[in-house]
Amino acid sequence: MEKGKIVLLPGEPNDCNRDYLPEAIRDGRMVVNENGNNSQVYPPLLKEHRECVVAGEGEDVWYEYVPANYDPERKTPLVISCHGGLMTGWGQCIYTSWSHVADREGFIVVFPNAQRQRMWQIEFDPAKKEMLSKPIPGLPQIALQDGPISGYHDVKLILGLLERMQEKYNIDRGRIYIQGMSMGNAVASQMARHFGHLFAGAAGSGCPTDTGLLFDEEDRVRNEGGPLDIMVSRLEHDVVPPYYPLKNKDTLMKNYQYWKLVNGCTGLPEISIRGDYNFIFFEGEKARFSIMDVKNRDHGQTFDDAEYMWDYNFSGVRRDADGNLAHTGCDRERKGDRVSVAVAEGCDMAWTGGETVPVNGKVFSWKKLKYHGLGGKEIVRGEYLYVPAAFCGRIWGADFRQNQDGTVCELDLRTGEHLQFARGSVGCVADNRVESMLCEAVHRDGTLYIPLVWFAERFEGLYCSECNGVTYITDHPARISTYTAWILKDLLGGGYGVT
């Protein structure tokens, strides 16, 4: 099929708005950029539908986006996109780029409304029923559901909409996907874990799943839906709900472990960091698992979430007639950075070129100190990860030599430059000229250590970023984010210490 064209409509910015979802956006040209969300002009092709989908359970509301290039003679993919708590289906559409991507790719998107007070019915850990029964300031009271989730109205709504869309349009049954934001991500996860066989892929941003719903008391996986391609978007400054039993880091890492186990992801991933966007791609034995970790963003969703979720996940998977997942190439190649080196404090392994390699020493952090006046207190003017000078030589193809006790070493670089380092000296001799490093060379266990960032920037011309005791180095602008740092440290054997 020939690709459609994405057309951005000019809007009327309302920078004074502080409402979470201003009703004035609807059917107008207002756009807002606040509260972690960015909006587009209300799409003319977005149509509201009101009808009873679940027999005897009241009126339901949903929104359908059918692109202009929809061809009823051609099998068409379907995406179900679920809004966040206190939002609406039309709000999820204007706060995302799903309609834009649908215009280009020719698929249909359905945006359902949660039926009760704009809050989805989602499963909960029974151990927290008393806590969740209490009002949460600023939010409507959560309507806790008893019994299996197959009895939840909102679950039946989504399943009913799947049937209706297949009756109304020429839907490709092997290419049905679900996605959500915040509380809508909890819905997408719920559908994936219990009804995953109905979808080829699921994705979401914000609000990871309560770990009590992922693992039982014996730490065994809870899953009824089976494997399917999963992509999660994590935003660096997002935090988990206050009633979750584990802290933010531990909850995210248990969610990460869960989908690796369900999808059979046992090998190393491809890692690519471009600007603030950190991508991690696993190819599992049963299904793919992808992560997009975004630097310096808080709760919500990036406006281009839909673009990446389609390009890196939904575009390359379908269910065949037997219900098995069939993978093809995605619209964007799921490849890691061509040049990449990462080290983590306390680890003796490093990441380089998509593989883990020994450092031949343990990476440690060293502070640059400054003392003011006689007897003055110390001030930290920088803190850097140190690696053996021999490691730098091995990674970047330099010849390495050292004296008998390792207090002096030399490197002959590929460029022809000759470097000399000595224990305790902040100076490096480069082609018989003195240069000051970030901090002095440190001698440990018969090995001379130097600051990795200084060497990579000065002699290899690479970009370096640091987060949570992990340094990432590549040949283009890249800023490692929190979640990626945790995962890299785990991959390098440092663990993350779930409590």
Side-chain angles (χ1 to χ4, degrees):
M1 185 195 80
E2 183 178 349
K3 298 282 188 181
K5 184 178 181 180
I6 295 176
V7 177
L8 296 177
L9 300 177
E12 297 174 359
N14 182 353
D15 294 334
C16 295
N17 172 71
R18 290 298 177 266
D19 291 335
Y20 183 50
L21 182 63
E23 294 293 326
I25 288 182
R26 187 169 180 173
D27 296 321
R29 302 191 70 80
M30 181 195 295
V31 291
V32 296
N33 295 284
E34 49 78 41
N35 289 341
N37 294 303
N38 302 87
S39 74
Q40 59 164 305
V41 173
Y42 198 94
L45 294 180
L46 184 66
K47 304 302 180 184
E48 180 183 275
H49 296 265
R50 292 177 173 268
E51 196 173 335
C52 177
V53 175
V54 183
E57 297 191 22
E59 183 183 62
D60 289 297
V61 181
W62 71 94
Y63 299 81
E64 297 175 12
Y65 189 86
V66 182
N69 60 350
Y70 167 67
D71 180 358
E73 300 299 318
R74 183 182 64 85
K75 291 290 186 183
T76 301
L78 173 67
V79 174
I80 304 289
S81 183
C82 301
H83 65 75
L86 302 179
M87 283 179 60
T88 62
W90 67 262
Q92 175 68 357
C93 179
I94 62 124
Y95 278 171
T96 68
S97 54
W98 277 115
S99 61
H100 293 314
V101 183
D103 284 339
R104 187 186 69 230
E105 302 295 335
F107 59 78
I108 293 172
V109 194
V110 174
F111 302 92
N113 271 13
Q115 192 190 51
R116 300 180 184 178
Q117 297 181 291
R118 299 186 175 185
M119 299 285 282
W120 294 100
Q121 296 168 313
I122 55 176
E123 60 186 330
F124 63 93
D125 185 344
K128 304 182 187 67
K129 185 170 184 178
E130 182 178 352
M131 178 189 302
L132 292 173
S133 298
K134 300 176 182 178
I136 299 176
L139 294 178
Q141 180 61 46
I142 297 176
L144 300 181
Q145 307 296 306
D146 291 318
I149 72 160
S150 58
Y152 293 8
H153 173 89
D154 291 338
V155 170
K156 291 188 283 187
L157 167 62
I158 292 173
L159 296 177
L161 286 174
L162 289 180
E163 293 181 6
R164 284 177 179 245
M165 293 305 105
Q166 293 176 69
E167 294 169 358
K168 186 175 181 180
Y169 303 106
N170 189 3
I171 299 299
D172 186 341
R173 293 174 181 267
R175 301 198 67 193
I176 298 176
Y177 313 98
I178 189 167
Q179 176 270 343
M181 189 278 286
S182 188
M183 198 178 196
N185 184 29
V187 173
S189 172
Q190 179 172 270
M191 297 302 293
R193 287 179 285 106
H194 292 277
F195 300 95
H197 62 283
L198 300 177
F199 305 93
S205 59
C207 196
T209 302
D210 186 338
T211 55
L213 301 174
L214 302 178
F215 299 94
D216 65 15
E217 295 78 6
E218 304 298 324
D219 212 29
R220 293 172 299 200
V221 167
R222 300 179 188 266
N223 185 275
E224 298 175 5
L228 72 164
D229 279 24
I230 295 291
M231 185 169 187
V232 296
S233 172
R234 300 298 186 214
L235 307 169
E236 185 175 46
H237 300 307
D238 201 358
V239 294
V240 301
Y243 55 85
Y244 276 20
L246 300 181
K247 297 177 182 179
N248 195 53
K249 176 181 179 181
D250 300 336
T251 297
L252 293 179
M253 293 301 288
K254 290 291 279 187
N255 273 252
Y256 158 77
Q257 280 188 331
Y258 176 84
W259 285 114
K260 283 183 65 180
L261 289 169
V262 171
N263 287 352
C265 301
T266 57
L268 293 174
E270 298 275 352
I271 297 179
S272 177
I273 304 179
R274 297 188 293 279
D276 289 343
Y277 285 71
N278 295 220
F279 295 97
I280 303 175
F281 304 119
F282 284 96
E283 299 291 324
E285 295 176 5
K286 303 173 184 177
R288 293 166 171 163
F289 175 38
S290 308
I291 297 163
M292 183 174 80
D293 176 27
V294 188
K295 185 79 174 172
N296 199 34
R297 282 296 307 264
D298 53 19
H299 188 71
Q301 57 196 336
T302 65
F303 188 69
D304 51 8
D305 252 11
E307 184 72 67
Y308 293 117
M309 289 173 179
W310 179 265
D311 287 357
Y312 285 127
N313 188 13
F314 297 165
S315 67
V317 62
R318 63 173 297 119
R319 283 200 184 272
D320 62 24
D322 296 324
N324 300 313
L325 293 175
H327 291 101
T328 61
C330 291
D331 285 357
R332 296 198 202 197
E333 194 174 25
R334 296 162 53 89
K335 289 293 184 182
D337 290 329
R338 183 181 59 85
V339 175
S340 63
V341 175
V343 299
E345 183 177 3
C347 293
D348 57 9
M349 299 294 289
W351 179 270
T352 177
E355 299 178 350
T356 56
V357 299
V359 175
N360 293 333
K362 187 161 288 190
V363 177
F364 62 86
S365 179
W366 195 257
K367 295 177 180 179
K368 180 177 180 62
L369 302 180
K370 173 69 177 178
Y371 295 88
H372 280 281
L374 295 175
K377 295 182 179 180
E378 67 182 40
I379 299 174
V380 177
R381 293 302 192 194
E383 189 167 357
Y384 312 98
L385 292 187
Y386 268 52
V387 298
F391 172 79
C392 293
R394 178 158 48 91
I395 293 298
W396 285 294
D399 292 330
F400 173 81
R401 300 180 302 281
Q402 67 176 27
N403 66 355
Q404 187 172 3
D405 59 7
T407 57
V408 175
C409 71
E410 298 176 79
L411 286 174
D412 291 322
L413 306 185
R414 293 168 300 174
T415 58
E417 292 176 282
H418 175 77
L419 310 181
Q420 182 190 15
F421 304 92
R423 179 179 61 192
S425 175
V426 76
C428 161
V429 176
D431 282 346
N432 211 32
R433 297 180 185 276
V434 177
E435 292 191 25
S436 182
M437 296 187 291
L438 295 172
C439 289
E440 70 274 18
V442 176
H443 186 247
R444 288 189 177 180
D445 300 321
T447 300
L448 203 61
Y449 285 75
I450 61 175
L452 175 61
V453 166
W454 171 80
F455 184 91
E457 291 180 341
R458 167 63 179 84
F459 296 105
E460 297 297 327
L462 298 174
Y463 292 87
C464 305
S465 64
E466 191 276 337
C467 183
N468 288 350
V470 177
T471 291
Y472 188 84
I473 300 170
T474 189
D475 59 356
H476 56 267
R479 290 169 286 279
I480 185 172
S481 190
T482 296
Y483 191 33
T484 303
W486 292 337
I487 291 174
L488 265 170
K489 188 166 185 178
D490 188 50
L491 292 170
L492 296 178
Y496 56 90
V498 171
T499 55

